[in-house]
């Protein structure tokens, strides 16, 4: 298992590609346009150069990472892919269309791994002919530094595929946690409702933003306050996950805070929108 094809050259996809390249895998990073992959390639080079300048990496190591990544705007390299990792927008229909298209191109042995943060693995796999080789491989941002990977089995994912992905996770220096499919998996089922509740506290005027974040940092020993973390993740993503939790469970405790929905409608998503 040496050829990895990463679909999505945004923040998560680029970091995932870097992780595999660092471990010596041959990585193809796919973006939709020449402009997008040019931007991603330049971003990676700049990041590695900074690490070299700060003495955190040798130039040889940086060169080796870059040598192991090929940026493309076509699916040609899917024909030799052993593992495909999808890291695109959290939209079931868009992901379905993608998987239906690449399923016809990839070899029979290719494993499909989605980096979805909350969507059903079973439903995503349903549009392919390889449900037995479909799995969730949920990295955390920033993927080049965060150690955890949630390995999520769908309804039709056999133990063999789960074990293979767990082995690969260890091989790239990560710590896999096996998860059975459920809305939000483990981390986001706990984390995102906490951010949502912090937004309710702000909306109800119980405390201000600085007070809420300081209280959780000093009172719960969290390295980052919940509202600060929501800004870092992106309020659009937080809202999408809350909506999935509510839709899948029907439990009112997962009702998204109206303030978050309002912010998303206004295009105020956090760090990524300034």
């Amino acid at each position: 298992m040496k050829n990895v094809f990463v679909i999505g050259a945004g923040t998560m996809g680029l970091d995932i590609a870097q992780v595999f390249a660092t471990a010596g895998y041959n990585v193809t990073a796919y973006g939709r346009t020449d402009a997008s992959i040019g931007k991603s390639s330049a971003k990676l080079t700049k990041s590695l150069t900074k690490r070299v300048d700060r003495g955190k990496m040798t130039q040889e190591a940086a060169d080796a990472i870059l040598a192991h990544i090929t940026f493309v705007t076509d699916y040609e390299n899917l024909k030799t892919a052993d593992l495909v990792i999808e890291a695109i927008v959290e939209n079931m229909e868009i992901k379905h269309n993608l998987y239906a298209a690449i399923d016809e191109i990839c070899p029979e042995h290719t494993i499909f791994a989605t980096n979805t943060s909350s969507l059903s693995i079973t439903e995503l796999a349903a549009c392919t002919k390889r449900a037995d080789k479909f799995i969730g491989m949920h990295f955390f941002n920033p993927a080049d530094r965060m150690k955890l990977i949630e390995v999520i089995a769908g309804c039709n994912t056999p133990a063999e595929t789960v074990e293979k992905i767990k082995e690969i996770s260890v091989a790239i220096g990560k710590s896999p946690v096996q998860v059975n499919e459920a809305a939000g998996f483990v981390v986001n089922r706990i984390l995102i409702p906490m951010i949502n509740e912090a937004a309710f506290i702000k909306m109800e005027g119980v405390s201000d933003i600085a007070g809420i974040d300081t209280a959780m940092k000093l009172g719960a020993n969290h390295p980052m306050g919940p509202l600060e973390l929501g800004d870092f993740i992106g309020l659009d993503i937080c809202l999408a996950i809350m909506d999935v939790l509510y839709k899948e469970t029907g439990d009112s405790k997962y009702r998204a805070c109206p303030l978050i929905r309002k912010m998303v409608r206004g295009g105020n998503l956090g760090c990524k929108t300034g």
Side-chain angles (χ1 to χ4, degrees), residues 34-45:
D34 289 333
S36 67
I37 63 171
K39 183 178 178 180
S40 296
S41 178
K43 182 179 178 181
L44 177 59
T45 301

Side-chain angles (χ1 to χ4, degrees), residues 82-124:
D82 299 310
L83 173 65
V84 173
I85 301 177
E86 168 267 309
I88 64 171
V89 63
E90 283 288 85
N91 180 287
M92 183 66 77
E93 183 179 357
I94 293 174
K95 289 181 189 287
H96 259 186
N97 291 337
L98 169 69
Y99 282 119
I102 68 173
D103 193 36
E104 301 299 322
I105 304 172
C106 293
E108 187 177 331
H109 74 272
T110 306
I111 295 175
F112 286 179
T114 175
N115 185 54
T116 181
S117 55
S118 61
L119 298 177
S120 167
I121 308 303
T122 302
E123 186 173 349
L124 286 170

Side-chain angles (χ1 to χ4, degrees), residues 118-135:
S118 61
L119 298 177
S120 167
I121 308 303
T122 302
E123 186 173 349
L124 286 170
C127 66
T128 74
K129 300 170 185 173
R130 62 183 80 217
D132 62 326
K133 292 183 175 63
F134 200 107
I135 196 165

Side-chain angles (χ1 to χ4, degrees), residues 78-194:
L78 280 174
K79 296 176 182 178
T80 57
D82 299 310
L83 173 65
V84 173
I85 301 177
E86 168 267 309
I88 64 171
V89 63
E90 283 288 85
N91 180 287
M92 183 66 77
E93 183 179 357
I94 293 174
K95 289 181 189 287
H96 259 186
N97 291 337
L98 169 69
Y99 282 119
I102 68 173
D103 193 36
E104 301 299 322
I105 304 172
C106 293
E108 187 177 331
H109 74 272
T110 306
I111 295 175
F112 286 179
T114 175
N115 185 54
T116 181
S117 55
S118 61
L119 298 177
S120 167
I121 308 303
T122 302
E123 186 173 349
L124 286 170
C127 66
T128 74
K129 300 170 185 173
R130 62 183 80 217
D132 62 326
K133 292 183 175 63
F134 200 107
I135 196 165
M137 196 175 186
H138 184 209
F139 290 77
F140 290 81
N141 190 21
D144 60 328
R145 281 169 277 171
M146 297 289 277
K147 286 291 187 180
L148 176 65
I149 293 179
E150 287 180 322
V151 178
I152 308 109
C155 180
N156 300 306
T157 309
E160 177 185 357
T161 301
V162 173
E163 290 305 314
K164 186 64 179 177
I165 294 302
K166 286 167 68 176
E167 290 173 10
I168 292 171
S169 299
V170 172
I172 61 175
K174 303 299 184 182
S175 298
V177 170
Q178 185 174 341
V179 180
N180 291 321
E181 181 177 325
F185 314 136
V186 172
V187 173
N188 283 336
R189 184 166 174 177
I190 297 170
L191 182 66
I192 302 302
M194 179 188 72

